[in-house]
Amino acid sequence: EEVDLGLSCLGSTHSEITSQLLYKDKVVLVAPHDGIDFEAALPLEEREVLLSSYLLTHNHPGYWDDLCKRVKLVYPGVRMMKVSQIHITKRFISEGLGVSFLPLSTVRRELLEGRLLEVDCFSVNLPDANTYALTKYNHGKQTEFLAYLSGYRF
């Protein structure tokens, strides 16, 4: 009983649990690699990507309901499909089955390796994906750990 701690994408609504925001993660629009050399390719167009592919949604609990509404306002013809897990969403995207808005920390490796492409998104105001520490008691070791963790940049 030295540390009692949980990490969550959502803050707590329980009165006995304290939520501490650890960090905000930028959400980006990602698409499958188009097979064209990075230096020779034109940037992917947000409109074309969103209207020609399925938008894979609800893979993160914190932001999808509001984001879906915002996307539908700008692109009423967008087709959406719920996928409940980020790793499945990334696999679907890399296989060419859709696109999604994902936290940058979850796709950084795939972007660096060229398996996925980031699409600049100007028409839709993108949210942040938040990570919270959930605690019931305040312990010294957990305070030290959270201070360390909140300084780490994903």
Side-chain angles (χ1 to χ4, degrees):
E1 296 193 9
E2 293 180 41
V3 175
D4 297 297
L5 168 71
L7 299 176
S8 176
C9 297
L10 299 173
S12 174
T13 57
H14 192 281
S15 62
E16 294 183 25
I17 303 295
T18 302
S19 297
Q20 176 185 341
L21 179 64
L22 292 178
Y23 66 91
K24 292 179 174 281
D25 198 356
K26 178 182 172 185
V27 172
V28 295
L29 175 58
V30 291
H33 195 283
D34 56 7
I36 301 174
D37 184 325
F38 178 73
E39 293 172 358
L42 294 173
L44 294 175
E45 297 281 333
E46 166 192 345
R47 178 179 186 76
E48 180 182 331
V49 165
L50 287 170
L51 294 178
S52 67
S53 304
Y54 278 97
L55 177 58
L56 307 174
T57 67
H58 290 84
N59 41 45
H60 189 281
Y63 57 81
W64 272 108
D65 291 334
D66 186 51
L67 183 55
C68 285
K69 291 174 190 171
R70 286 190 242 160
V71 170
K72 278 284 196 186
L73 283 174
V74 178
Y75 301 108
V78 70
R79 299 171 297 156
M80 297 182 183
M81 181 171 67
K82 289 184 179 182
V83 178
S84 62
Q85 298 177 10
I86 287 179
H87 73 278
I88 300 298
T89 301
K90 293 190 304 184
R91 180 65 184 260
F92 281 4
I93 296 169
S94 65
E95 295 292 332
L97 299 175
V99 300
S100 192
F101 293 97
L102 295 171
L104 181 58
S105 65
T106 66
V107 293
R108 182 170 280 124
R109 172 180 274 172
E110 291 83 355
L111 292 171
L112 288 171
E113 293 173 352
R115 291 184 280 143
L116 300 178
L117 296 174
E118 182 177 349
V119 180
D120 290 330
C121 190
F122 301 108
S123 301
V124 178
N125 184 25
L126 297 180
D128 290 321
N130 298 329
T131 299
Y132 298 90
L134 306 179
T135 57
K136 186 170 182 179
Y137 306 106
N138 190 9
H139 299 291
K141 286 185 181 180
Q142 112 188 350
T143 303
E144 289 176 35
F145 175 71
L146 291 177
Y148 169 77
L149 193 58
S150 65
Y152 187 77
R153 295 294 166 238
F154 297 92

